[in-house]
Each structure stands twice: as C-alpha cells, then as structure tokens.
C-alpha cells in the first residue's frame, strides 16, 4: 500500500481520469503518481516492468536483456518466490539501463521501478514473505512520445522515422497510412506541431518530421511510376467494392471528408461524398497554392481513397441540390458534415461593400487561381493583401505568379505576432514581398469604381489582449495610402451557415453552426460534423484527425449501435492531464548533427510560375536525418479503479 | 579543431570527430561491439559508454561512438563507474547468448567469465543491427530487418531472400558470427543462425573462369554504373580486371 497520495515530481497531485474511470496510480516518464493510498505498489511495479520489457525495441543490449531480467525478478517476487537480494539487483540494473541506453524507454522507465522499490521497500519485503492478494485494479499500458502527443492525429512518428533509418521506406509509409490517407499532402504543408514538441529541438534543431513524411510518400510514387511508366495513377489497381449494406454520406471532399471516407471504405462501407466544387481536396486544393502543394499529389492521394470504392459526386451543394433530411430519406444511415469554412471575414473598412473593381477576398482570389479561372481575377500590377496568417502569405506569393510585380502585405502587429508559419514568411521575404508592419487598413481608395490604393494608419503596440498578444493601437493622424490596383482581404474565414439551415433535432450555436458533443456527433444519432466546420479555420492534420475519429465512430455505430471514445482518445487525454503535473524539461542537450537544410528553387526563378518550391530529400539525406531521432517514447501504465 | 581532455590526456581533433575516435587517437582503449569505421554509429551495444562533462551541461553517460566532441569536453573513458556498467552490460549479453565464442572473448577482455543474470529467452545473435545497417547504408539493398520493428522487442534478424543480392557484406560485419557466407559448386550460400537463408548462382569471370560474384551483384553494379560503357557487357573478376586495366580506378575515373 502506498499509504499516501504523492507524485515523484514533487508537484501538486491532481486527480486523473482514464476515460470514465478514476485513475488510482500512474507510472510514466520514469515517475510515479499515486492518487489512491491503497494502491498495490508491488503489483503496479510488476505491471509496469512488463510494459517496459514489451516495448523495448531490442536494439540496445542493456535495455533489451536488462528489462527482461527485471520483469522476471518482479514476477518471482509477486509469486512469493523472491528474495531481498533481488531488490538490490533490480535497483543496480535499473541504474545501468537508465544511464547506458539510447532512448527514453531505456533511460526513463527503469528509474520508476527503482523509485518504487526504494520508497516502498517494506511493501516489496512483505510481498516476498507473503504473496499479496491481487488488487481489484484494471491496468492499462501504452506508449506516447512528445511528437506523437502533439500530432493531432497521433501518428507513430518515432516508428516511421525508425523505419526510414533502417531503409524500410514502404513500411514507414504504411505506419503513416494506417492513420492518414494523404501523407504526400501533409508531408508538404503540415503546420508541424510535432516539430515544435520535438525534444531534439533542445539540442541542435527539431527533426524534419514533415519532410521525412514527404520523402516516403515520394519514394512510393517514384516506385509506382517505375513499375508502370506510361500509366497514370488512377487506372492501376481494380476498384474495390463495399461489403456492408449501410451507406454513409459525407458532405465535403476536403481533408476531413476524405479521411473519414477512407476509414469507412476500409471497414467495408459504401461511402458517397457530395462536393459542391468540381475538384476534390477542399482548401488543400482551392486554398493552398500549387507551388506549395502540386495538384497531382493531392489528386493522386484522394484517387487512392476513390479506388477503395468511395464515390465523389461533384457540383452537388448542400442547401441547393440536397438537404440533410433528403439524404436521410435517400437511405443514408450516417452523415458526416465536413464542409469547412469557405466564406470570408469582413475587414469592416470603408469601401469594402462598394463593389469596386479590384477588391477581392483572399479565399476568392486563391480559389479562382486554383481553379484556373484567371480571367475572373482583377487585373493590375500592384497588390495589397491585408492579414498576417498563412492565407495572406499565400495570396501575396500567388500574386507574383499571376503577373503582379509589386506585392504588399499589410499587418497590424509586428512580425513576432504574425500567426503565419516562419518558414512561409521567410520564403515570402526571399521573393521580395514588401511587408508593412504595424499598419491597419482604414479605407479602400477608388476612382471611378476602380481600386487605386489602400489607405492605412500606423499602429503601436499597447496592452496584451485575451490572446496574450499586445493589442495594436492606432496612432492618430498617421494615415497614408499604399498605391495598389488590387486590394485583398485575408483576415480569416467563416463557416457558411446558410446552406445547412435548420435541421430538425439539431441545436445550432449563435453563429448557426451545428453543435456537436465530445464524440463529434450532433443530438441526432448518426449525424456527425467535424473539420474546419466545427473547429473554425484550423489545419489539414486537425481536419484529418476529426475525419478519422468520425470514421471510426460511424463504423462502430453502424455495426453495434454504440457511440464511444476510442482507447487512444483516453490515452492521449490522460497524458494531457499528466503533462500539467510534470515540470517541463527545457535544459539544453549536447549538440550533434544539426537539422538538415531543405533545398529550394531559387526565389527569382520560382516566383514567376507554380513549380514546387521545396525540394525533397534524397535517400541518404533522409536516412541521415532519421538517424537524429532520439526515440522519445515514454511508457505509461495506469491502474484504474475496477 | 576542437580541444578536449580524455582520461587526463589532452587531445585536439577536427570538428565532427566522435569521442570514440578521439580516444583511439590518443591511445585510449574503449571496448566496442557494434562500431565500424565504415558505418554511421549503430548505437546498439552500449559497451562504448563514457562519462562526459561538456561545458554548461550536466555530467552524463553517453555512448562514445555516437558522441561528437565539443570544445572543452572532459571525458572519463574508463572510470570505476563506467567499468562496472560495462561489466553489467556484457553480463546481460552473456546471459542472452552464453555459448557464443565472440561474446565470451569480449567478456573475458572485460574480466567477466560468468553472469549473475538469468533470462528465459536466449538470443540467436547480439541483435546489434550492424548487418541491417551495412545492407542498407553501404549496399543500398535493405534486405535485412529486425523480425519485430519498434513496438515489440526485436528477437531476431530476418533476411528477405527476394531483395538480397548475395554480396556477403552482412557476414563480413557481423561481430558474433551469426551470419556466414560460403561459395561452393558455383553457388553462394548465406546462412543466418546456422540455417541456409539464401542460395544464389555465381557468375564466372570471362577471362579466368573463376566464379567470383553473384548475378544479382553484377546486375546491381550494372545498374549503378549505367553510364560507364566499359562495365556494361564484360564480366571480369577483380584480379583479371586489374590485369587488363592496371591504372588505379581513380585515374580511370578521371579520363
Ligand atoms: C489559403 C489557405 C492556406 C492554408 N494552408 C494550410 C497549410 O499550409 N497547412 C495546413 O495544415 N492547413 C492550411 N490551411 C487550412 C486547411 O486547408 C484547412 O484547415 C483544411 O483544409 C480543413 O479541412 P476540412 O475538410 O475541414 O474543410 P475544407 O478543406 O474546407 O473542405 C470542405 C469541403 O466542403 C465543400 N463544401 C463546402 N460547402 C459545401 C456545401 N454546401 N455542399 C457541398 N460541399 C461543400 C468545399 O467545397 C470543400 O471541398 C490553409 C487554408 C487556406 C484557406
Ligand atoms: S533504442 Fe530505446 S527502446 Fe530500443 S533498446 Fe535502446 S533504450 Fe531500449
Ligand atoms: S527526437 Fe524523435 S521521438 Fe523525440 S520528439 Fe523528436 S521526432 Fe519524436
Ligand atoms: S560501439 Fe557504441 S554502442 Fe556499440
């Protein structure tokens, strides 16, 4: 018995939940946290030792063999066949494994075992004398890693990197594809929360996790092309067909919709996607420009999902061609609303609604370029784009590529507060975009109904606002005009709520968006919503994560009429709670091989066409980068009240 | 150049040198099982651990084969603590493969002749993965892999006979003799853990008629040397090739 409530971090002990259950104790990160003083520490320790042994990858000798030895000794103790000398042997071995092993599994896990024996020696000694009664706890063990935890879809990143390191590129891709059907897309444009969390950042720069993903996707494409040089990707393998009767409707062929369709098709369901545009991919197609994400990559990867038997009906818009009620009447047993955020936020400046020639919202500008409707773009040489996010950067950089020669970006705070990706900002600078910081738009200046400029005033930073960023305050009398033939507003997107209208039984929030519960389901059983539609303008990988969860939930709902969380949701939620107890480790680590640099097309050449800017890794570069991974796996074992 | 101290010996080595190489430079012996000059650090055996104190960082234990030197580093390569840990590591390996001659020799070198540890499962090899690495990194074939990747502990190395070209590099680098290669009756035979893992036909030299490489190796070379017409059709063993064109290959490459 622990006899007390404590954790080995020495921080405040917080109650923890694993799904709906209370957690009695948890071992993680080589540390222990106990919330139920009656917990059987010896049993917990043995359980954890099993998990460590089972998760050792077997590469390091001390970890592979040593964790087996420790688990065997603890089994003996639990079975009443141990001796006190075993306890000292375990402690000493744990120290060697902890110091001599390569990765966090070997380095951190044995520490927790030694800690439990040192602090609760009396329990172990009494267990040796009289075998303890098996407690009534349910144990759960799983692994996580900082990068996996940060990834919205929780890809097993250390695993796919390890496979690259060992030259097993197809296996690596399989690890990614087991959760994410569009690796080549995400491997190009993901916002990389994993890299922000990467522990190698403490030494000599985070791993190039995104580019490694792109690498394995590119290798697979190159191998396909080699195998059948003259054929295109869509005419290869035969179409699969559904094995189950229930049909599912998905609204929107964006990342969320496609990922959901992929999951369901693999489960054998017949899926139909209704898409209002003539092109699949959502914002990945009509938002993100081709120089960041070549269209054939996107089409190819969505095509793979179509080959699983998913049907995409184009030019079919909710609210115009069908309604949610009509889908139900057509016999669809489950519906997923994944139509993203496709209308734009207003700047609320004078002239915005005057219908001037030369004023255009950013999403419209990009959509017209991306759908090849160049004659619908306002003509001119100079452009001013308002906004500080990725959409704004995409607009200015795209402007060069459709013939503008003077591209300006207007942002009301400084470069430090810009939400856009620093890599994107850097690339835009290289292409000679003119940045106007601490400047806010006031009025669109027009002559004879045609835009000639943007009147702005200068700002200074005041007190921090709710988001923690300092609020820009106007400097009176600082107005000036940036001459521009075209003005673009790119300050945010919103959900188009008009097309859903009222759906019987579904609650709408104050903006008119359908309210969903923690399982992303509305109050109507079988009607789900996710992606940007639910979270607001977010990220590709966030949308894919929603799509995957909803896919899994719909499959379970159709098969068993049950809606519940996946085990991994409970696992990652537990780690999230744990992280609030763990003091952050930020100290530097010794530096070694630095983060690989990415080769680009030269700025002056690339900015006149839509060629892809970033170049991929070669096999040698990829293996070398993969070799930098520290494998920061952490094993978590928790004991839940039965 | 980087200046550092290893076991009280001052040394100066180029940037990018590993601690293991630097120690060898000044004559300090560090035991290794999985380190090969031709390969990137494999980091598996952990016998090469040292204590390192880098300026501004906490003192820590690290594998010297994978540790890049830094200005002002102080390294203890053979402290009592390190020696004790090394003995524990080799005792563990000895528990997993008690009958292997190479392991016994290595253990004896560290003063270890018996192990206090017992494991239920014996390992057929050290599972260091050097063979896997050589096949991937140097040959570019990736025919070898661990039986279990990631998730579960590796307990064997497996050979994909389809991918394997029969070059024999793996057998040459294996530190415990778990992989062997033998040429007989115009065939090359690769054995893994004492069992035949692959048999590939050998090709004969057009000049002397001696079998010298597998067809798959010759094919691989042809593929890699596509542009070099000299090598396209003719098949010469290394000895005859040298005789025909005695200029060292770097001179030939310059032509
Ligand atoms: C310019 C721009 C650049 C971006 N860059 C990045 C980036 O680099 N990295 C990143 O991670 N994220 C980026 N994003 C965000 C990312 O694209 C989105 O978060 C993601 O696409 C959301 O996916 P979704 O499936 O939820 O919605 P969407 O991708 O928006 O897809 C929704 C789909 O539903 C369709 N639809 C809408 N209404 C209807 C209707 N009434 N009937 C039928 N179909 C309908 C739409 O046509 C669309 O195809 C960017 C966004 C934009 C706008
Ligand atoms: S790499 Fe990590 S998990 Fe694998 S054996 Fe070494 S310490 Fe254990
Ligand atoms: S070093 Fe590897 S395991 Fe660790 S956080 Fe970075 S990518 Fe993940
Ligand atoms: S030689 Fe360094 S780990 Fe084996």
């Amino acid at each position: 018995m622990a006899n007390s409530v404590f954790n080995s971090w020495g921080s405040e002990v917080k109650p923890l939940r694993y799904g709906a259950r209370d957690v009695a104790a948890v071992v993680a990160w080589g540390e222990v946290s106990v919330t139920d003083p009656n917990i059987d520490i010896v049993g917990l320790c043995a359980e954890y030792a099993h998990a460590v042994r089972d998760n050792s990858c077997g590469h390091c000798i001390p970890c592979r063999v040593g964790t087996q030895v420790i688990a065997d000794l603890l089994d003996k103790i639990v079975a009443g066949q141990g001796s006190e000398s075993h306890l000292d042997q375990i402690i000493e071995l744990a120290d060697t494994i902890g110091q001599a092993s390569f990765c966090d599994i070997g380095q951190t896990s044995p520490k927790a075992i030694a800690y439990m024996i040192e602090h609760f020696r009396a329990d172990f000694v009494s267990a040796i004398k009289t075998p303890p009664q098996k407690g009534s706890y349910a144990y759960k063990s799983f692994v996580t890693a900082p990068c996996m935890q940060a990834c919205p879809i929780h890809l097993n990143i250390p695993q796919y990197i390890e496979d690259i390191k060992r030259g097993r590129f197809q296996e690596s891709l399989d690890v990614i594809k087991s959760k994410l059907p569009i690796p080549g897309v995400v491997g190009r444009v993901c916002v990389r929360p994993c890299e922000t969390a990467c522990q190698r950042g403490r030494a000599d720069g985070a791993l190039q996790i995104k580019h490694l993903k792109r690498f394995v996707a590119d290798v697979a494409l190159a191998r396909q092309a080699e195998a059948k040089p003259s054929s295109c990707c869509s005419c290869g393998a035969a179409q699969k067909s559904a094995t189950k009767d229930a049909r599912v409707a998905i609204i929107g062929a964006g990342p969320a919709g496609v990922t959901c369709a992929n999951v369901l098709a693999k489960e054998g369901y017949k899926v139909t996607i209704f898409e209002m545009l003539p092109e699949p991919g959502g914002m990945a197609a009509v938002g993100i420009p081709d120089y960041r994400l070549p269209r054939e990559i996107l089409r190819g990867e969505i095509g793979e999902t179509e080959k699983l038997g998913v049907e995409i009906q184009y030019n079919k818009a909710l609210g115009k061609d069908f309604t949610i009620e009509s889908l139900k009447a057509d016999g669809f047993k489950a519906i997923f609303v994944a139509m993203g955020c496709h209308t734009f936020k207003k700047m609320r400046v004078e002239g915005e609604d005057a219908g001037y020639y030369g004023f255009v919202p950013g999403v419209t500008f990009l959509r017209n370029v991306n759908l090849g409707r160049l004659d619908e773009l306002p003509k001119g040489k100079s452009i001013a784009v308002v906004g500080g996010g990725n959409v704004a950067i995409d607009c200015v950089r795209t402007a060069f590529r459709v013939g503008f020669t003077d591209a300006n970006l207007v942002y009301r705070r400084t470069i430090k507060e810009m939400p856009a990706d620093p890599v994107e900002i850097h690339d835009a600078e290289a292409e000679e975009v003119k940045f106007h910081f601490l400047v806010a738009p006031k009025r669109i200046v027009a002559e004879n109904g045609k835009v000639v400029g943007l009147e702005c005033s200068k700002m200074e930073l005041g007190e921090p606002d709710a988001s923690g960023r300092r609020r820009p305050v106007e400097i009176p009398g600082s107005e000036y005009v940036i001459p521009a033939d075209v003005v673009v507003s790119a300050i945010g997107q919103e959900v188009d709520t008009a097309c859903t209208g009222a759906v019987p039984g579904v609650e709408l929030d104050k903006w008119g968006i359908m309210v969903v519960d923690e399982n992303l389901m509305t109050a109507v059983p079988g009607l789900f919503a996710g992606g940007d539609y639910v979270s607001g303008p977010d990220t590709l990988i966030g949308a894919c994560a929603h799509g995957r969860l909803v896919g899994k939930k719909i499959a379970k709902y159709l098969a068993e009429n049950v809606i519940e969380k996946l085990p991994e949701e409970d696992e990652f939620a537990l780690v999230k709670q744990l992280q609030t107890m763990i003091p952050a480790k930020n100290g530097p680590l010794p530096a070694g091989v630095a983060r690989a640099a990415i080769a680009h097309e030269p700025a002056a050449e690339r900015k006149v066409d839509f060629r892809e800017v970033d170049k991929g890794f070669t096999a040698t570069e990829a293996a070398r980068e993969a070799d930098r991974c520290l494998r920061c796996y952490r094993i978590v074992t928790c004991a839940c009240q039965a | 150049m980087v200046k550092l101290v290893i076991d009280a010996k001052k040394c100066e080595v180029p940037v990018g040198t590993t601690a293991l190489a630097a120690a060898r430079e000044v004559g300090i012996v560090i035991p290794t099982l999985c380190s090969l000059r031709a390969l990137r650090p494999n980091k598996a055996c952990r016998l090469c651990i040292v204590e390192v104190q880098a300026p501004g960082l906490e003192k820590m234990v690290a594998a010297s084969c994978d540790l890049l030197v830094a200005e002002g580093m102080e390294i203890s390569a053979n402290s009592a603590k390190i020696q004790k840990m090394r003995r524990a590591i080799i005792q563990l390996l000895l528990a997993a493969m008690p009958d292997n001659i190479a392991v016994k020799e290595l253990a004896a070198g560290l003063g270890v002749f018996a192990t206090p540890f017992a494991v239920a499962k014996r390992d057929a090899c050290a599972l260091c993965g050097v063979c896997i690495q050589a096949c991937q990194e140097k040959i570019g074939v990736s025919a070898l892999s661990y039986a279990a990747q990631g998730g579960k502990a590796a307990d064997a190395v497996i050979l994909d006979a389809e991918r394997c070209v029969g070059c024999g590099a793996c057998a040459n680098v294996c530190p415990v003799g778990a992989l062997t290669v033998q040429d007989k009756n115009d065939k090359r035979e690769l054995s893994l853990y004492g069992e035949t893992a692959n048999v590939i036909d050998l090709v004969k030299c057009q000049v002397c008629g001696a079998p010298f490489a597998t067809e798959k190796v010759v094919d691989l070379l042809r593929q890699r040397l596509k542009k070099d017409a000299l090598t396209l059709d003719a098949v010469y063993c290394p000895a005859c090739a040298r005789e025909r064109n005695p200029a060292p290959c770097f001179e030939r490459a310059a032509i």
Side-chain angles (χ1 to χ4, degrees):
Chain A
M1 268 200 291
N3 284 328
S4 69
V5 169
F6 75 98
N7 71 37
S8 56
W9 293 285
S11 63
E12 188 199 337
V13 179
K14 297 183 186 160
L16 301 168
R17 311 262 300 163
Y18 178 89
R21 290 167 162 188
D22 282 325
V23 171
V26 56
V27 192
W29 272 256
E31 310 272 349
V32 192
S33 178
V34 170
T35 25
D36 172 2
N38 297 320
I39 182 79
D40 161 24
I41 283 279
V42 181
L44 177 68
C45 186
E47 194 66 31
Y48 184 65
H50 287 170
V52 176
R53 175 198 61 198
D54 293 345
N55 284 291
S56 163
C57 79
H59 197 55
C60 305
I61 291 165
C63 176
R64 178 182 77 242
V65 190
T67 56
Q68 281 177 51
V69 172
I70 291 182
D72 289 351
L73 290 176
L74 281 168
D75 280 347
K76 271 195 187 164
I77 291 170
V78 171
Q81 295 158 0
S83 78
E84 272 198 57
S85 69
H86 288 156
L87 297 178
D88 301 313
Q89 205 178 13
I90 295 175
I91 291 175
E92 195 172 315
L93 202 46
D95 182 53
T96 299
I97 301 170
Q99 298 205 52
S101 296
F102 170 70
C103 86
D104 268 14
I105 288 188
Q107 284 177 12
T108 65
S109 320
K111 225 174 80 192
I113 295 172
Y115 181 94
M116 284 184 266
I117 297 179
E118 277 163 359
H119 286 74
F120 301 97
R121 201 175 171 102
D123 292 76
F124 286 86
V125 172
S126 81
I128 287 164
K129 295 196 180 112
T130 35
Q133 290 297 309
K134 257 201 173 313
S136 59
Y137 298 97
Y139 294 105
K140 301 265 181 232
S141 295
F142 57 92
V143 293
T144 181
C147 45
M148 273 171 85
Q149 183 72 25
C151 172
I153 209 167
H154 305 306
L155 289 180
N156 194 337
I157 293 165
Q159 174 70 69
Y160 85 68
I161 294 183
E162 178 97 359
D163 282 331
I164 296 176
K165 184 152 98 185
R166 307 237 171 273
R168 316 282 296 179
F169 304 144
Q170 184 57 45
E171 288 79 351
S172 173
L173 185 61
D174 292 344
V175 170
I176 302 170
K177 278 195 166 173
S178 70
K179 287 189 153 184
L180 179 68
I182 49 172
V185 171
V186 174
R188 283 174 166 79
V189 295
C190 188
V191 296
R192 326 180 291 289
C194 54
E195 293 184 16
T196 309
C198 175
Q199 293 298 296
R200 185 103 196 194
R202 292 164 55 202
D204 41 24
L207 269 277
Q208 288 275 15
I209 302 176
K210 181 187 84 171
H211 272 275
L212 287 172
K213 196 181 288 112
R214 167 181 171 178
F215 168 74
V216 284
D218 283 357
V219 168
L221 271 187
R223 284 192 182 155
Q224 257 174 34
E226 237 170 65
K228 38 179 170 112
S230 58
S231 67
C232 72
C233 47
S234 56
C235 33
Q239 286 238 263
K240 284 224 179 82
S241 54
T243 55
K244 296 186 177 130
D245 291 333
R247 288 156 65 225
V248 180
I250 295 177
I251 305 169
V258 168
T259 307
C260 181
N262 186 278
V263 171
L264 286 165
K266 282 185 185 154
E267 298 264 358
Y269 290 98
K270 173 94 191 95
V271 183
T272 310
I273 305 184
F274 298 92
E275 168 57 56
M276 110 189 141
L277 296 172
E279 172 86 30
M283 279 304 188
V286 297
I288 301 176
D290 286 9
Y291 61 85
R292 287 208 286 133
L293 172 60
R295 192 67 55 85
E296 64 271 18
I297 299 285
L298 181 65
R299 285 187 188 145
E301 289 189 337
I302 295 178
E304 282 183 33
T305 291
E306 285 180 276
K307 272 188 231 156
L308 298 173
V310 170
E311 182 200 3
I312 305 183
Q313 293 193 9
Y314 294 104
N315 305 309
K316 289 272 157 49
L318 173 69
K320 211 171 101 224
D321 304 304
F322 63 93
T323 64
I324 291 185
E325 289 304 296
S326 76
L327 290 178
K328 281 202 218 153
D330 284 347
F332 288 103
K333 293 282 177 270
I335 300 169
F336 178 37
V337 178
M339 44 187 212
C341 291
H342 283 250
T343 58
F344 48 90
K345 259 201 192 127
K346 294 225 166 151
M347 298 194 287
R348 297 210 200 95
V349 302
E350 200 185 316
E352 197 175 11
D353 297 319
Y356 296 143
Y357 177 85
F359 172 72
V360 50
V363 278
T364 313
F365 179 77
L366 291 172
R367 172 168 310 188
N368 283 333
V369 173
N370 274 319
L371 292 175
R373 299 170 180 164
L374 296 185
D375 41 334
E376 288 186 27
L377 298 178
K379 307 279 172 296
K381 284 288 158 207
S382 55
I383 191 167
V385 177
V386 181
N390 285 330
V391 181
I393 301 262
D394 283 340
C395 290
V396 263
R397 292 181 69 194
T398 298
F400 282 133
R401 291 159 169 87
V402 292
F404 290 86
T405 47
D406 175 25
N408 299 274
L409 184 130
V410 176
Y411 180 51
R412 55 199 191 113
R413 304 180 206 236
T414 72
I415 192 165
K416 275 209 302 262
E417 286 85 19
M418 262 180 105
D421 189 328
V423 178
E424 288 282 301
I425 299 175
H426 174 267
D427 287 352
E429 277 173 338
E431 290 171 8
E432 296 180 335
V433 167
K434 287 186 205 143
F435 287 86
H436 303 255
F437 291 117
L438 285 170
V439 168
K442 274 205 106 160
R443 182 169 68 95
I444 297 167
V445 191
E447 278 168 18
N448 305 325
K450 193 193 161 309
V451 172
V452 293
L454 182 66
E455 185 182 304
C456 303
S457 41
K458 299 203 168 143
M459 314 292 274
E460 60 191 357
L461 290 182
E463 294 300 308
D465 63 9
S467 71
R469 298 181 302 177
R470 289 173 64 193
R471 189 196 301 275
V473 193
E474 185 175 339
I475 305 175
S478 64
E479 291 83 357
Y480 72 109
V481 173
I482 300 173
D485 305 325
V486 174
V487 169
V488 172
S489 70
I491 58 162
Q493 297 87 254
E494 281 169 349
V495 172
D496 171 12
T497 49
C499 61
T500 37
V503 185
V506 177
E507 190 192 335
L508 301 180
D509 69 9
K510 64 176 173 180
W511 295 280
I513 300 170
M514 293 190 268
V515 175
V516 292
D517 61 15
E518 51 173 20
N519 285 310
L520 297 170
M521 193 169 80
T522 64
V524 172
L527 177 60
F528 293 79
D532 277 8
Y533 174 81
V534 163
S535 37
D538 190 45
T539 59
L540 268 168
I541 191 70
C544 294
H546 271 182
R548 175 167 178 275
L549 286 181
V550 169
K552 295 272 177 198
K553 284 172 199 216
I554 290 181
K556 183 115 189 174
Y557 166 74
L558 292 177
E560 301 165 36
N561 206 11
V562 177
I563 302 279
E564 64 180 13
K565 287 203 169 168
L566 309 183
E568 65 174 61
E569 285 182 86
D570 293 336
E571 293 170 8
F572 287 101
L574 174 62
V575 174
K576 208 165 164 191
Q577 301 165 55
L578 270 174
Q579 281 172 331
T580 65
M581 276 200 278
I582 304 172
K585 261 207 265 174
N586 310 319
L589 295 169
V593 179
R595 175 176 163 102
I598 302 300
H600 305 286
E601 291 282 341
E605 288 173 30
R606 74 190 186 214
K607 70 187 237 192
V608 298
D609 55 31
F610 282 90
R611 74 177 83 167
E612 186 168 18
V613 170
D614 286 1
K615 299 199 174 158
F617 280 137
T618 63
T620 321
E621 286 167 345
R624 190 183 156 89
E625 183 63 11
D627 198 32
R628 297 178 63 238
C629 176
L630 302 171
R631 281 179 52 90
C632 314
Y633 277 130
R634 281 87 200 256
I635 298 168
V636 182
T637 295
C638 73
C640 298
Q641 306 292 6
Chain B
M1 296 298 268
V2 177
K3 288 201 198 84
L4 73 159
V5 178
I6 309 180
D7 284 354
K9 281 193 189 173
K10 287 201 178 114
C11 59
E12 200 174 337
V13 290
V15 181
T17 307
T18 63
L20 178 63
R24 285 182 176 160
E25 195 94 332
V26 290
I28 292 168
V29 179
I30 296 178
T32 61
L33 177 81
C34 70
S35 166
L36 276 160
R37 256 172 238 263
L39 299 176
R40 276 181 319 200
N42 192 45
K43 314 173 223 181
C45 75
R46 319 308 290 177
L47 286 168
C48 68
I49 46 169
V50 294
E51 276 184 286
V52 51
Q53 169 86 68
L57 293 177
E58 276 172 42
K59 191 167 184 173
M60 56 167 77
V61 172
S64 61
C65 67
D66 185 38
L67 176 70
L68 294 188
V69 294
E71 187 67 34
M73 251 184 192
E74 283 176 36
I75 292 174
S76 328
N78 289 301
S79 63
K81 171 178 168 175
I82 288 294
Q83 291 196 8
K84 193 164 162 221
M85 282 190 181
R86 280 192 196 134
R87 278 197 296 274
I89 296 170
I90 199 74
Q91 282 166 350
L92 287 169
L93 185 61
L94 209 49
M97 15 185 345
D99 305 319
N100 187 279
I101 296 168
V103 172
K104 278 196 206 160
E105 272 174 14
L106 192 60
L110 294 169
V112 170
F113 300 94
T115 177
F117 303 119
V119 283
K121 204 175 69 211
R122 296 281 158 86
D123 290 334
C125 74
L127 294 162
C128 63
V130 169
C131 52
I132 300 176
Q133 208 189 354
C135 183
Q136 181 216 332
E137 218 175 290
K138 291 292 155 195
I139 314 302
V141 167
S142 297
L144 287 155
S145 62
Y146 284 122
Q149 294 258 317
K152 296 281 170 281
D155 54 5
V157 165
I158 44 172
L159 179 89
D160 181 343
E162 198 79 356
R163 283 194 194 177
C164 171
V165 295
C167 69
C170 49
N172 278 310
V173 295
C174 176
V176 295
L179 268 153
T180 53
V181 63
Q182 207 182 11
D183 289 354
K184 57 179 179 205
N185 306 333
D186 298 344
K187 288 192 193 309
R188 175 161 294 176
E189 205 180 304
L190 239 111
S191 334
L192 175 58
Y193 305 148
E195 279 173 33
T196 306
N198 206 5
V199 181
I200 307 187
D201 287 337
L202 290 168
V203 286
K204 292 186 179 136
C205 172
Q206 284 179 351
V207 180
C208 67
F212 72 98
T214 66
E215 240 158 69
K216 280 177 153 184
V217 166
V218 175
D219 280 348
L220 190 73
L221 288 176
R222 280 202 180 112
Q223 253 179 42
R224 300 247 167 101
L225 299 174
K226 263 180 219 141
K227 288 184 208 82
D228 193 344
L230 255 185
T231 54
L232 266 183
D233 321 300
V235 181
Y236 306 126
C237 73
C240 296
R242 227 166 274 138
E243 211 154 278
R244 284 176 57 89
N245 196 343
C249 47
F250 61 84
E251 277 176 27
R252 254 181 290 152
I255 297 171

